[in-house]
Amino acid sequence: MKYTTLYESHKTLGAKFVDFSGWQMPLYYTSIIEEAKATRSNVGVFDVSHMARFLINSPSLDFLDILFTNDPRKLGVGKAQYTLLCNERGGIIDDTILMNLDNTRFLLIANACNRYKVLNWLKLYSKNETIEDITESTSSIAIQGPKAEGLAERIFDVELSKLKRFYIFGLDNLIISRTGYTGEDGFEIFTSSNMIFSLWEKAISLGGVPCGLGARDILRLEAGYCLYGNELSEDIDPITSGLERFVKLDNRNFIGSERIRELVINGTKERLVWFRMQDKVIPRKGDDIRYNGMKAGRVTSGGYSPKFDVGIGMGYVESEIAKEGNIVEVVIRNSPRIGIISKR
Amino acid sequence: MVPEELKYTDTHEWLRIDGEYGIVGVTQYGFEKLGDVVYVELPDVGSKVKQGEAFGVIESVKAAVDLIAPISGTVEEVNESAKKSPENLPKDPYGESWLIKVRIENPSEIEKLLTNNAYEELIKE
């Protein structure tokens, strides 16, 4: 079991822990729902040190161009990009955030569950590039919510109002990126592990509400963000999963691009949809989705949404029925319950 | 400490015996394990429940868990406010948060349930 630098602090805060990809992480401190609400209305702080961090040194454009689905030419210094690694079949190896620190160093944030797979994949294609796994020498927290800017400005004593979404800002031994996984405005902070504790303590003392992975999952589900292992896998391509806007095919030839081009032209069998239930009944991963009484798909993530006060979920359904407004039935404990495919 | 006068299941339901009736709920420990409760499914009045079998479902943000009947019988009453505001259930596990009232079919089944001491032993960490 791995522990983040903040583990003792989580314990002191009364966290209930969960094993997440081999990391002992806080599931919640007081209440998953209250933490999710605090992030929507105020500001939540999350330990996200379990996520994999790689420093790619001196990558050639070819290296980035062959590996990533989003266009590395658009990734100027100080920018961040949501981008995918795919296999030859167009299946998603991981969904990541790539940041251009200074044209010679790029920081890649990958999912904890895919850490070694991604590391090996990068090494497989590297020539002059060196790939440094800095996951354990560094730490990361997310500051998320409508009051994230004010809180981050007070923590770091810098003005952040001009830092746009998907841009990064470097301080001494510290990177602030305006990114997140909650559907709220917010920042993710990357720094050396010996600096994280004081930042975390400061964030909380200035009013940041500590939030666990439970709230993080609800927030991302409300926002319709994919979770690797639920919505995404090596057998799912970016078109089926609705991530086409992070795939730039023009004049490019990255791993998987040939297959993805075919899928764009011919269409995919299934599409990812987001749906809400009529009441608080909660869809769960693996539940069947029916349309007109026939099985038409399956739930990949489900949960209760404090924002909408009903059950919500995501799932794959046959492409023909993947339309906003379509009424489906989600089979929850053998009983079909009404859900509506919608745009969140 | 769990209330002395109640009987318990190893799946964290309690039973309060009131003459020929039994009132059923979930223990405080059960709610603590569940976390935030968001949804409860309870049987209709007049339906039958059977000892050891599921009579409903309680959902928290973490999981859906079957509610297991501590005793067999016919459902006489259902706590409607539990269905309406499931989030309040953990606040008063042995009082306001009762779930169903059943007419007990076979009082000898009570012997199969745990006493307060046995239940406390069970949930000791």
Side-chain angles (χ1 to χ4, degrees):
Chain A
M1 191 64 68
K2 298 190 186 77
Y3 300 88
T4 73
T5 308
L6 297 174
Y7 176 73
E8 289 299 325
S9 177
H10 300 321
K11 254 174 50 182
T12 309
L13 289 164
K16 299 276 184 297
F17 288 92
V18 62
D19 171 7
F20 189 82
S21 299
W23 292 84
Q24 194 72 1
M25 297 301 293
L27 179 64
Y28 63 94
Y29 302 88
T30 53
S31 142
I32 292 177
I33 289 177
E34 290 312 314
E35 291 163 23
K37 285 180 177 168
T39 302
R40 289 269 178 258
S41 64
N42 186 4
V43 53
V45 289
F46 304 73
D47 181 8
V48 288
S49 302
H50 63 299
M51 296 203 71
R53 290 171 291 281
F54 303 110
L55 204 53
I56 308 173
N57 292 300
S58 314
S60 65
L61 182 59
D62 279 353
F63 174 82
L64 299 175
D65 203 33
I66 194 96
L67 285 170
F68 291 99
T69 62
N70 212 334
D71 192 347
R73 287 167 196 82
K74 304 254 168 70
L75 186 63
V77 174
K79 285 198 76 174
Q81 204 175 48
Y82 181 68
T83 184
L84 310 170
L85 294 164
C86 286
N87 59 30
E88 293 290 350
R89 297 177 288 119
I92 298 169
I93 288 175
D94 200 14
D95 65 323
T96 66
I97 300 273
L98 183 63
M99 301 177 190
N100 181 348
L101 306 186
D102 57 9
N103 271 340
T104 59
R105 290 175 304 164
F106 287 70
L107 179 62
L108 181 71
I109 315 301
N111 283 293
C113 60
N114 293 329
R115 179 175 168 190
Y116 300 106
K117 184 174 78 171
V118 168
L119 181 61
N120 290 334
W121 188 251
L122 296 177
K123 284 186 168 168
L124 191 62
Y125 288 90
S126 62
K127 292 194 180 93
N128 299 315
E129 296 79 12
T130 55
I131 318 295
E132 252 179 278
D133 183 343
I134 57 168
T135 308
E136 274 157 75
S137 58
T138 58
S139 292
S140 182
I141 58 173
I143 301 171
Q144 302 279 305
K147 299 195 175 150
E149 187 181 280
L151 179 61
E153 285 184 338
R154 272 175 289 145
I155 296 170
F156 301 108
D157 197 25
V158 287
E159 205 206 298
L160 291 166
S161 64
K162 293 195 181 80
L163 185 68
K164 287 186 283 184
R165 195 154 169 78
F166 278 90
Y167 277 80
I168 65 176
F169 181 79
L171 286 169
D172 239 9
N173 200 10
L174 183 111
I175 295 161
I176 302 171
S177 76
R178 196 156 203 152
T179 49
Y181 192 51
T182 59
E184 292 296 326
D185 182 26
F187 304 88
E188 288 169 306
I189 315 301
F190 308 90
T191 190
S192 59
S193 290
N194 57 17
M195 282 177 65
I196 202 72
F197 180 75
S198 59
L199 290 181
W200 172 258
E201 294 281 297
K202 201 167 173 188
I204 291 169
S205 70
L206 292 172
V209 177
C211 298
L213 291 187
R216 187 168 153 89
D217 190 52
I218 285 184
L219 292 160
R220 72 95 195 165
L221 185 57
E222 284 182 339
Y225 295 157
C226 294
L227 173 64
Y228 200 95
N230 286 28
E231 284 71 39
L232 308 181
S233 78
E234 288 184 43
D235 297 317
I236 303 256
D237 63 83
I239 310 305
T240 302
S241 52
L243 298 174
E244 48 269 82
R245 67 185 185 285
F246 307 105
V247 178
K248 299 295 188 294
L249 288 163
D250 291 347
N251 305 315
R252 293 190 62 219
N253 187 22
F254 55 83
I255 303 162
S257 60
E258 216 169 303
R259 175 73 185 130
I260 294 170
R261 236 177 233 116
E262 284 171 19
L263 293 168
V264 169
I265 294 164
N266 302 329
T268 58
K269 203 167 143 269
E270 294 186 323
R271 294 282 298 185
L272 185 66
V273 293
W274 189 96
F275 57 87
R276 70 170 86 194
M277 306 305 292
Q278 266 185 330
D279 52 30
K280 289 187 186 180
V281 66
I282 299 176
R284 302 280 181 188
K285 184 177 177 177
D287 288 349
D288 279 352
I289 300 174
R290 288 188 196 161
Y291 187 70
N292 286 338
M294 304 281 282
K295 185 176 173 191
R298 68 205 174 276
V299 175
T300 50
S301 292
Y304 166 71
S305 163
K307 181 176 172 183
F308 302 107
D309 197 27
V310 290
I312 59 169
M314 286 163 83
Y316 286 103
V317 298
E318 291 164 9
S319 296
E320 307 83 73
I321 72 155
K323 290 187 184 74
E324 264 170 58
N326 267 356
I327 304 288
V328 293
E329 290 168 340
V330 183
V331 185
I332 299 172
R333 294 182 297 275
N334 298 322
S335 106
R337 311 293 293 244
I338 301 293
I340 178 162
I341 295 175
S342 58
K343 203 186 185 164
R344 295 182 282 285
Chain B
M1 295 294 277
V2 301
E4 233 174 273
E5 70 281 13
L6 306 182
K7 299 288 180 196
Y8 300 88
T9 66
D10 59 5
T11 46
H12 313 296
E13 291 84 9
W14 54 259
L15 176 74
R16 172 175 284 122
I17 295 147
D18 179 13
E20 61 199 276
Y21 297 103
I23 294 155
V24 179
V26 170
T27 65
Q28 185 176 346
Y29 180 81
F31 282 121
E32 280 167 14
K33 277 187 57 174
L34 274 166
D36 295 332
V37 174
V38 294
Y39 181 77
V40 188
E41 231 172 59
L42 297 174
D44 295 329
V45 170
S47 61
K48 297 248 187 207
V49 299
K50 196 161 181 290
Q51 187 177 46
E53 290 185 6
F55 68 90
V57 173
I58 192 158
E59 293 228 36
S60 76
V61 287
K62 288 190 264 176
V65 177
D66 281 333
L67 292 162
I68 306 296
I71 199 133
S72 307
T74 308
V75 178
E76 293 282 325
E77 235 182 290
V78 171
N79 185 351
E80 290 300 328
S81 70
K83 289 204 303 202
K84 259 183 236 126
S85 311
E87 66 278 9
N88 290 332
L89 281 174
K91 290 178 189 163
D92 189 13
Y94 304 108
E96 293 289 314
S97 302
W98 65 277
L99 297 173
I100 57 170
K101 181 177 174 182
V102 298
R103 181 187 291 271
I104 296 172
E105 210 172 79
N106 180 0
S108 71
E109 282 181 351
I110 295 166
E111 289 164 28
K112 295 182 197 162
L113 297 171
L114 302 172
T115 62
N116 61 316
N117 289 331
Y119 181 68
E120 252 172 34
E121 196 60 36
L122 177 82
I123 61 176
K124 236 196 245 164
E125 278 176 299

